[in-house]
Amino acid sequence: MIVLKGAEVSAKIKDEVQTMLNRLDGPVPRLAIVRVGKNPDDISYERGATKKLESFGLRVSSHVYPADISDAAFKEAFRTVNEDKDVDGILLLRPLPKQVCEKDIEEMILPEKDLDGISPTNIAKVFAGDTSGFAPCTAEAVIEALKQNQIEITGKRVVIVGRSMVVGKPLSMLMLKENATVTVCHTRTKDLKGTCRGAEILVAAAGRARMLNQEYTGKGAIVVDVGINVDENGTLCGDVDFESIQETAAMATPVPGGIGTVTTAVLAKHLVQAACKNR
């Protein structure tokens, strides 16, 4: 089985970003990361994204608010970041605390600064096949990883396990745009194993540690694991039981070191694209 490492894809995206930066006038693009509370996963992602973007030569600022901030206070703070002309793009770490209306924030964020595709405008563009908006970074990272590894998507049977608006649904639209034949599976899918075994490209986005093993993987399948979980031993792992698919899958992305690495590179690419469009 060939291991599809994210570092190689990230390096190619970095070259694209550098080319765009060389053509860009004005200050270096700046990302604003907005975080509420001290969720360890959010802090870890913030740290990783900051490190990656700075390694790409980009600016990053963090805007951190207490977990008990009121809905009104957060909206006012978010409005300030949203309207800051020195901010080219925004990454909002979610979910937000219950007292903050996340839907209102999704509607507030300026589509041209919405790098992770959470605004109604950008989501609508993804579903319409309009590439002028931003798709969720993780969904786009899956497409980037396949293309950069010269894996043909057109005509392939693609099965996506997971139907969230973060990965499953938008990724299904991106796959359709690439002319794949797409099946989206979920908790009520009958014969989930059989459906997955029929996939030429299998994408695991279920949010359950090591859920998909060799029983779900057809011979010669390409397996893309977007899951990030911590198992009972405190070990970081994906939604795929990586060791068990060695004899069935032809290629697979690892966790860590796979799609997560590509996702932050896509975020950097979106930031520079935003700066190029809006200046």
Side-chain angles (χ1 to χ4, degrees), residues 247-265:
E247 301 301 319
T248 50
M251 303 178 183
T253 63
V255 176
I259 295 299
T261 303
V262 183
T263 296
T264 48

Side-chain angles (χ1 to χ4, degrees), residues 2 13 23 39 66-67 80 100 119 121 133 159 161 166 168-169 177 201 217 230 234 238 244 249 259 277:
I2 298 171
I13 295 174
R23 297 197 303 261
N39 182 297
T80 299
V100 178
S119 71
T121 297
V159 173
V161 183
V166 177
K169 289 179 181 177
K177 187 170 177 59
I201 299 174
T217 312
V230 177
S244 77
I259 295 299
K277 288 179 183 177

Side-chain angles (χ1 to χ4, degrees), residues 153-186:
I153 301 174
T154 297
K156 292 290 179 65
R157 297 187 305 277
V158 175
V159 173
I160 302 169
V161 183
R163 55 178 170 178
S164 75
M165 286 300 291
V166 177
V167 183
K169 289 179 181 177
L171 178 57
S172 70
M173 294 298 106
L174 297 181
M175 286 290 190
L176 286 171
K177 187 170 177 59
E178 297 294 331
N179 298 308
T181 299
V182 184
T183 301
V184 179
C185 296
H186 45 79

Side-chain angles (χ1 to χ4, degrees), residues 17-156:
V17 168
Q18 192 57 57
T19 300
M20 288 189 288
L21 281 175
N22 292 339
R23 297 197 303 261
L24 185 65
D25 293 325
V28 173
R30 175 184 163 205
L31 169 70
I33 299 178
V34 178
R35 170 167 58 85
V36 181
K38 299 179 180 179
N39 182 297
D41 290 341
D42 287 349
I43 293 171
S44 176
Y45 187 74
E46 178 185 342
R47 188 182 300 118
T50 299
K51 184 178 180 181
K52 175 62 70 70
L53 267 70
E54 289 180 344
S55 76
F56 277 35
L58 303 169
R59 293 185 295 154
V60 182
S61 59
S62 293
H63 304 262
V64 182
Y65 307 97
D68 61 354
I69 190 170
S70 70
D71 183 64
F74 180 72
K75 285 175 180 173
E76 187 56 38
F78 187 80
R79 184 174 288 107
T80 299
V81 177
N82 206 26
E83 296 175 356
D84 187 342
K85 293 183 179 179
D86 189 44
V87 170
D88 296 285
I90 297 172
L91 174 64
L92 174 66
L93 299 180
R94 301 179 294 162
L96 296 173
K98 291 181 180 180
Q99 76 275 9
V100 178
C101 182
E102 194 167 301
K103 187 174 185 297
D104 288 349
I105 303 301
E106 291 170 357
E107 292 177 352
M108 281 178 64
I109 192 170
L110 294 170
E112 61 270 23
K113 293 186 179 185
D114 170 31
L115 304 187
D116 205 22
I118 67 172
S119 71
T121 297
N122 281 331
I123 285 295
K125 286 183 175 182
V126 170
F127 277 74
D130 182 346
T131 58
S132 66
F134 294 114
C137 293
T138 303
E140 189 170 318
V142 173
I143 302 295
E144 286 274 8
L146 294 171
K147 285 186 172 182
Q148 296 285 11
N149 282 287
Q150 287 77 53
I151 295 169
E152 183 65 52
I153 301 174
T154 297
K156 292 290 179 65

